[in-house]
Amino acid sequence: MKQNVSTSAGTPGIKAPRGKAGTLLRDIIRDKWLYLMLLPGVIYFIIFKYVPMYGVSMAFMDYKPYTGFLGSPWVGLKHFERFFSEPQFGMLFRNTVILAVYNLVFFFPMPIILSLMLNEVRRAKFKNFVQTLIYIPHFVSWVVVVGIFYILLTTENGVLNELLYRITGEKIAFLLEAEWFRTMIITQSIWKEIGWGTVIFLAALAGVDLQQYEAARIDGASRWRQLWHITLPAIRSTIIILFILRLGNFLDSGFEHIFLMITPTNREVGEVFDTYVYTKGMTQAQYSYSAAVGLFKSAVGLVLVLGSNWLAKKFGEEGVY
Amino acid sequence: MLQDKTIGNRIFDIINYTLLILIALVCVLPFVYVLAVSFTSPAEVARGGLILWPKEWSLASYRYIFSTDTLFRSMLVSIYITVVGTFINLLFTSLMAYPLAKATLRGRQFILLAVLFTMLFGGGMIPTYFVVKAMGLTNSLWSLMIPNAISAFNLIVLKNFFQQIPDGLEDSARIDGCTDVGVLFRIVLPLSMPAMATFGLFYAVGHWNQFFSAILYINDSRLYPIQVLLRQIVILAQGSIGDTSIDNIEIQPLTIRMAVIVFATVPILLVYPFLQKHFAKGVMLGSVKG
């Protein structure tokens, strides 16, 4: 960009350097302002995205803050070997996979069912009213969601536990008992995201030509048949894409959410890869070890995303990337 | 379009409408309950039961949570990071999205691929922490705004949005002597106000709701945003925010927590009508495809 001094470069009349390299140079000079605008963003991505990617090499070192990044010794796969032989490895793997499967089975279908129900509503005002209300929980933080569940379910005067006590005569410590942990996580996820999850399906359904329904009715199709032959095919590819995206993020269990819900009594079922990285790295200062765990998770995640994208294309869908 | 008025259809509609009303209530009632109880007198709360409208109004819990300036200060911190952080987000995102929207820009594909790759793979929590620390951002509010200045997803959606703006308008400004920077700020951004509002709201909600970055990067409790304080009070039930010397033994601890939740949520509910207006557009604004 040394040629920047000539501000009129690129305008007609100026002799352009010949050849391929010449055109490249001319284009760069022409777009100098654009490159200048790119600069802050490029620097941001380098510093906060790519430097940490390079920094992940600390997973192969014994990183000590006082010896610094360059002064720490390389130890090869030591931390990975330790991680795979730890008894926690099996526990983390099991917890993550069980939560992910619960998510796919119980959470994933919910917004689809709800959007089908909303799609059957013919009164626009009623539909808008319901939509306005069910989107609200999406916009509050996980802290508020978990906080509200604590307030409703605590065994000390929580209103739902009081109700339970009046009916069954006993209280359940939903938030402390390990056996309730997964149910709580999934219930909270559904409560927060079921409404918001319908947005994308309703948008797909808005594109359906209403004449299709009319034609189907004239042919004597019942409401269920219309649902099966018109509505569901309209959102089929959206469902497949979202399912595949979800498969790609299989290992992401919703870190903030789980972090908030973990207590010493449910750690056995609640600890997942991300929370383990935090516990080992930030609270116990085992930096290299936790970076290794994080790298393992990111690498598996990358394979899952690319694999599921490949799967999508195999199914004749467009794929996401 | 009318459905046939058969009995089966009628029954279906009744069940469908009832279920939808129930679901909507389940989504909203917890908020109503928390709001109502926070305004109810300690005596009525002590009697228990489901309160959706206070019979005996009282501001006791609010007087209590504002008896020290802890809550007030963390509200200010949250407002600060939301306003300044969102401004940084919008500035950085649009500055980068605009050049990438130009098909003739050399190196564009490379940069787009590099951005896309950050959505698939990252260094993770620990290396990122050390980068933020090395930049000297830890224990300052910048650590809550700079490390997430650009969301790769929003960047690509905004780039697609800019591409849809007709070139003719920009060209005429350029002929009048505008540089590319001038074109962005005088032509493109004013034309993109709905999109900017949408992204601004999404970024702002993200800032207001974030709590984990603060736990990771901030040690000084005076710099805690509201969500961190909320977690300590409501979930961990530790750290008192009120002045314990005033006589409020009769105030239920649950009521105090509810008052704090109300304060952490009200700003979101205030902008909700705008969110509601813009978000569906925002979600559909563009696809991820580059």
Side-chain angles (χ1 to χ4, degrees):
Chain A
M1 298 253 279
K2 272 179 193 158
Q3 270 79 359
N4 272 2
V5 274
S6 147
T7 45
S8 57
T11 49
I14 298 286
K15 255 192 199 145
R18 303 211 175 266
K20 230 180 176 181
T23 1
L24 175 66
L25 200 62
R26 200 180 48 194
D27 283 355
I28 290 177
I29 293 169
R30 180 196 61 200
D31 291 336
K32 57 183 178 301
W33 286 107
L34 293 178
Y35 287 107
L36 200 65
M37 290 155 82
L38 266 182
L39 207 58
V42 169
I43 293 174
Y44 164 78
F45 274 98
I46 291 175
I47 293 183
F48 291 105
K49 303 290 171 186
Y50 279 91
V51 173
M53 275 186 223
Y54 171 70
V56 109
S57 55
M58 70 197 277
F60 305 96
M61 300 175 181
D62 259 337
Y63 179 79
K64 299 272 185 303
Y66 53 86
T67 52
F69 199 75
L70 298 172
S72 301
W74 293 90
V75 295
L77 295 175
K78 178 182 137 190
H79 299 295
F80 292 90
E81 280 160 16
R82 176 185 154 200
F83 178 49
F84 296 134
S85 56
E86 289 260 16
Q88 271 104 328
F89 179 73
M91 176 192 88
L92 294 175
F93 203 79
R94 197 173 52 239
N95 289 346
T96 308
V97 169
I98 291 179
L99 267 181
V101 169
Y102 276 22
N103 225 306
L104 278 180
V105 173
F106 298 109
F107 172 75
F108 187 78
M110 288 298 170
I112 303 175
I113 296 171
L114 185 57
S115 18
L116 292 179
M117 289 168 68
L118 279 167
N119 192 52
E120 292 299 321
V121 172
R122 294 291 162 236
R123 290 165 207 262
K125 270 194 182 161
F126 179 79
K127 193 170 160 185
N128 275 334
F129 177 68
V130 172
Q131 279 175 293
T132 305
L133 297 186
I134 60 178
Y135 294 158
I136 293 178
H138 170 77
F139 292 99
V140 302
S141 65
W142 276 116
V143 187
V144 168
V145 172
V146 174
I148 287 180
F149 270 74
Y150 263 75
I151 284 177
L152 296 177
L153 291 173
T154 169
T155 44
E156 294 156 37
N157 298 329
V159 72
L160 290 185
N161 239 326
E162 288 296 318
L163 191 71
L164 192 71
Y165 182 72
R166 274 179 216 176
I167 298 169
T168 64
E170 53 188 317
K171 292 181 176 182
I172 299 174
F174 293 101
L175 299 155
L176 297 175
E177 282 176 21
E179 54 177 305
W180 281 96
F181 179 80
R182 290 177 184 129
T183 315
M184 282 292 116
I185 291 285
I186 301 296
T187 311
Q188 288 164 354
S189 300
I190 293 177
W191 185 72
K192 190 171 192 287
E193 302 298 343
I194 186 175
W196 184 252
T198 63
V199 171
I200 195 159
F201 295 109
L202 289 175
L205 287 173
V208 179
D209 189 351
L210 292 183
Q211 286 183 345
Q212 286 191 37
Y213 291 105
E214 229 160 275
R217 245 196 333 280
I218 291 168
D219 289 347
S222 71
R223 225 159 155 167
W224 297 108
R225 285 199 148 258
Q226 292 173 36
L227 178 77
W228 187 251
H229 290 292
I230 302 172
T231 313
L232 275 179
I235 54 173
R236 197 189 120 229
S237 60
T238 312
I239 295 177
I240 293 177
I241 286 280
L242 286 186
F243 188 80
I244 282 163
L245 272 180
R246 184 58 223 151
L247 280 185
N249 298 327
F250 199 71
L251 293 184
D252 292 326
S253 330
F255 170 68
E256 288 203 347
H257 183 193
I258 292 180
F259 178 79
L260 288 166
M261 285 294 291
I262 279 194
T263 61
T265 50
N266 62 25
R267 200 164 272 280
E268 195 56 32
V269 294
E271 191 95 283
V272 292
F273 288 112
D274 292 322
T275 55
Y276 185 70
V277 169
Y278 176 77
T279 317
K280 288 289 164 188
M282 299 317 294
T283 62
Q284 298 175 15
Q286 303 181 25
Y287 301 119
S288 285
Y289 175 65
S290 55
V293 177
L295 178 59
F296 167 75
K297 197 219 137 192
S298 306
V300 177
L302 182 64
V303 171
L304 282 175
V305 172
L306 295 179
S308 51
N309 201 51
W310 173 82
L311 204 69
K313 288 184 175 148
K314 196 108 206 223
F315 272 96
E317 298 294 336
E318 248 194 289
V320 186
Y321 295 105
Chain B
M1 74 176 241
L2 287 163
Q3 285 288 346
D4 308 325
K5 294 279 178 212
T6 62
I7 294 186
N9 269 334
R10 285 269 180 86
I11 293 174
F12 175 88
D13 276 335
I14 290 170
I15 294 174
N16 193 27
Y17 278 59
T18 316
L19 280 177
L20 284 174
I21 289 173
L22 279 179
I23 292 170
L25 283 180
V26 168
C27 286
V28 186
L29 276 189
F31 292 112
V32 178
Y33 171 72
V34 167
L35 187 66
V37 174
S38 73
F39 280 106
T40 306
S41 75
E44 192 186 340
V45 178
R47 285 198 293 274
L50 182 67
I51 299 170
L52 293 176
W53 187 258
K55 283 189 210 90
E56 301 158 21
W57 290 75
S58 157
L59 289 174
S61 47
Y62 290 98
R63 251 188 315 242
Y64 176 73
I65 61 173
F66 282 109
S67 60
T68 64
D69 61 356
T70 315
L71 182 68
F72 190 65
R73 195 172 46 216
S74 67
M75 291 280 290
L76 281 183
V77 168
S78 277
I79 291 170
Y80 178 80
I81 58 171
T82 303
V83 172
V84 179
T86 306
F87 176 76
I88 292 174
N89 290 141
L90 291 179
L91 184 71
F92 273 57
T93 311
S94 51
L95 269 182
M96 192 176 182
Y98 180 66
L100 292 177
K102 299 281 164 246
T104 54
L105 190 80
R106 299 280 186 154
R108 168 179 179 266
Q109 279 306 328
F110 174 75
I111 295 174
L112 279 175
L113 272 178
V115 168
L116 207 60
F117 184 68
T118 65
M119 293 169 76
L120 297 177
F121 187 79
M125 184 192 300
I126 306 296
T128 309
Y129 171 80
F130 280 108
V131 169
V132 173
K133 198 172 170 191
M135 301 288 295
L137 297 177
T138 40
N139 229 358
S140 97
L141 292 181
W142 294 113
S143 67
L144 307 181
M145 300 183 278
I146 302 291
N148 45 13
I150 303 178
S151 129
F153 181 80
N154 287 357
L155 174 74
I156 289 172
V157 176
L158 190 63
K159 180 219 90 180
N160 289 349
F161 182 83
F162 283 162
Q163 272 171 341
Q164 294 164 5
I165 294 177
D167 285 334
L169 285 167
E170 298 175 36
D171 289 342
S172 60
R174 238 173 245 122
I175 290 166
D176 290 345
C178 243
T179 63
D180 287 313
V181 182
V183 172
L184 172 65
F185 284 104
R186 293 191 194 164
I187 311 285
V188 174
L189 283 187
L191 283 173
S192 315
M193 275 338 250
M196 296 308 275
T198 311
F199 287 115
L201 284 169
F202 275 114
Y203 275 130
V205 170
H207 281 299
W208 185 264
N209 284 343
Q210 77 174 348
F211 88 103
F212 187 71
S213 327
I215 288 182
L216 206 52
Y217 299 134
I218 291 194
N219 294 319
D220 186 351
S221 64
R222 284 173 310 167
L223 295 178
Y224 279 161
I226 183 84
Q227 305 290 341
V228 175
L229 196 70
L230 189 66
R231 168 173 177 254
Q232 289 185 337
I233 292 165
V234 179
I235 299 172
L236 303 180
Q238 59 179 222
S240 61
I241 53 163
D243 182 356
T244 37
S245 63
I246 29 177
D247 55 344
N248 41 56
I249 306 113
E250 78 274 21
I251 301 180
Q252 300 260 346
L254 270 191
T255 318
I256 293 161
R257 296 179 193 183
M258 292 189 205
V260 185
I261 288 190
V262 169
F263 260 89
T265 317
V266 155
I268 298 282
L269 296 182
L270 285 183
V271 296
Y272 183 66
F274 302 99
L275 281 171
Q276 157 87 335
K277 200 172 137 200
H278 287 294
F279 61 75
K281 256 186 282 168
V283 172
M284 297 298 141
L285 214 50
S287 67
V288 200
K289 286 214 166 278

